[in-house]
Amino acid sequence: MTVDNQLKAAAATAVAHPNIALIKYWGKSDERLMIPYVDSLSMTLDILPTVTTVALGPEERTDRVTLDGSPATGDFRQRVVTFLDLLRAMAGRDERAVVDTRNVVPTGAGLASSASGFAALAMAGAAAYGLDLDPTALSRLARRGSASASRSIFGGFAICHAGRGGGAAADQSAYAEPVPVTGLDPALVIALVNAGPKAVSSRAAMRRTVATSPLYQSWAASSKIDLAEMRGALHRGDLAAVGEIAERNALGMHATMLAARPAVRYLSPDTVTVLDSVLRLRADGVAAYATMDAGPNVKVLCHRADAVRVADAVRAAVPDCSVLTAGPGPAALLRTEAGR
Ligand code: ADP
Ligand code: DP6
Ligand code: CO
């Protein structure tokens, strides 16, 4: 690399959005390479972005990481440093980095901060270390930070392939790609029943589920059927079918966690209250379907035209909960110097 290019590549900023899976990823076949057990399919959101700047610091002796302007510590810092080590190995370089990341998305609340966070870090980090990666390679890279992040490289709907074989073959084949969808104008109404951080990280919870839940294998098998049917429903632009499949897939995933030993339970009384309001909406003829991730917050899939009615119903059910409405969002993007 020329000196000029090196200077240009020495700092980069990227923006990425969280994504919510309609067919969930839960469980890894290889924790080191971050290979999911199952395929997953998601919608990237148009709200709650992460903005991350990676600047190389040839003078620095250690990596410096700040989250929302404060020094990151513990596991948060360690996951970023491990990811930077991977970038350095790929680039054949050894400079330390200064990482400034800002989450609009609540961190660790089951709203996919690890997805927007590692998609933004992958994109900014690759650019800062001078790696020229296409979207597929960026998706594989983001997966190493958090498997759900592989999908946030892309906008709209994306499928993440679980990967075939083991080792390098699995690493190569586990990446996300866009799923073209026409004829759907969806919204996800997000009931923020608790924006605080979860007690057990997704990573630890899925490890325990795979190791101890007697229901895990059957959920993984049924998830294959869900995915095949989901692809058909998306292709037809059939929101009711998309919603039904997403809801059963998510409830099945939570059932596997509840059967883990000890149980992993993310759903709270307020979660169930929102689920009841979704059932009432359906009884009233509104196509509304719920999905939940590793946290108590509920995302309700509906037609965009019904989003206000759905949001009102959720607010009425849990009066002190904030409600956000998202649509399909953009792919992760590198910010140009001028746009910074
Ligand atoms: P979530 O439901 O928010 O995705 P997870 O348990 O999957 O929760 O992941 C939370 C972890 O994701 C954090 O502890 C941190 O390691 C990582 N993370 C979140 N935001 C960022 C970010 N902006 N940059 C780097 N890592 C992040
Ligand atoms: C329930 O991708 O956050 O949101 O790969 O260990 O970082 P790690 O876990 P993560 O798990 C996401 C779990 C989920 C479902 C999904 O997004 O597919
Ligand atoms: Co996550």
Side-chain angles (χ1 to χ4, degrees), residues 172-221:
Q172 192 62 16
S173 53
Y175 58 84
E177 62 184 336
V179 175
V181 172
T182 49
L184 267 191
D185 191 11
L188 271 180
V189 174
I190 301 174
L192 260 184
V193 304
N194 186 346
K198 60 189 89 175
V200 184
S201 70
S202 296
R203 183 156 306 179
M206 67 177 79
R207 182 183 300 141
R208 190 195 301 171
T209 306
V210 172
T212 68
S213 173
L215 305 189
Y216 182 74
Q217 293 303 335
S218 48
W219 172 75

Side-chain angles (χ1 to χ4, degrees), residues 45-333:
L45 307 185
D46 59 355
I47 59 171
L48 306 176
T50 294
V51 182
T52 299
T53 299
V54 178
L56 301 197
E59 317 285 273
E60 307 281 339
R61 295 190 41 225
T62 55
D63 294 311
R64 278 198 287 139
V65 184
T66 54
L67 168 64
D68 300 328
S70 302
T73 54
D75 265 10
F76 190 105
R77 180 176 185 282
Q78 192 47 53
R79 271 177 78 164
V80 172
V81 171
T82 302
F83 193 81
L84 293 169
D85 287 339
L86 173 64
L87 282 170
R88 284 186 280 260
M90 287 171 72
R93 296 172 66 158
D94 60 7
E95 299 101 312
R96 302 295 109 179
V98 180
V99 176
D100 174 310
T101 185
R102 286 164 202 265
N103 279 346
V104 179
V105 58
T107 304
L111 292 163
S113 69
S114 65
S116 55
F118 279 100
L121 183 61
M123 196 168 247
Y129 279 100
L131 289 165
D132 187 15
L133 304 180
D134 66 16
T136 305
L138 272 175
S139 175
R140 274 190 208 105
L141 172 62
R143 190 201 78 229
R144 297 288 294 271
S146 175
S148 56
S150 63
R151 303 183 308 240
S152 276
I153 295 298
F154 301 100
F157 292 83
I159 182 169
C160 177
H161 304 289
R164 294 176 305 277
D171 181 37
Q172 192 62 16
S173 53
Y175 58 84
E177 62 184 336
V179 175
V181 172
T182 49
L184 267 191
D185 191 11
L188 271 180
V189 174
I190 301 174
L192 260 184
V193 304
N194 186 346
K198 60 189 89 175
V200 184
S201 70
S202 296
R203 183 156 306 179
M206 67 177 79
R207 182 183 300 141
R208 190 195 301 171
T209 306
V210 172
T212 68
S213 173
L215 305 189
Y216 182 74
Q217 293 303 335
S218 48
W219 172 75
S222 69
S223 198
K224 281 205 168 84
I225 301 166
D226 289 347
L227 177 66
E229 292 185 12
M230 178 63 81
R231 276 176 168 287
L234 285 171
H235 188 71
R236 295 194 306 277
D238 182 346
L239 183 111
V242 169
E244 260 176 42
I245 299 162
E247 192 175 285
R248 77 185 186 212
N249 184 266
L251 289 170
M253 176 187 74
H254 284 278
T256 70
M257 299 183 203
L258 288 169
R261 295 159 193 187
V264 177
R265 184 174 59 81
Y266 287 117
L267 312 182
S268 73
D270 281 344
T271 310
V272 176
T273 304
V274 177
L275 291 179
D276 279 345
S277 75
V278 170
L279 282 184
R280 278 196 301 276
L281 279 163
R282 287 219 287 275
D284 290 345
V286 180
Y289 302 87
T291 184
M292 291 81 64
D293 293 282
N297 303 304
V298 185
K299 299 91 183 185
V300 185
L301 180 75
C302 61
H303 291 290
R304 190 196 292 271
D306 291 332
V308 171
R309 176 156 180 202
V310 169
D312 287 347
V314 167
R315 241 182 249 111
V318 183
D320 47 4
C321 100
S322 349
V323 179
L324 305 169
T325 298
L333 191 71

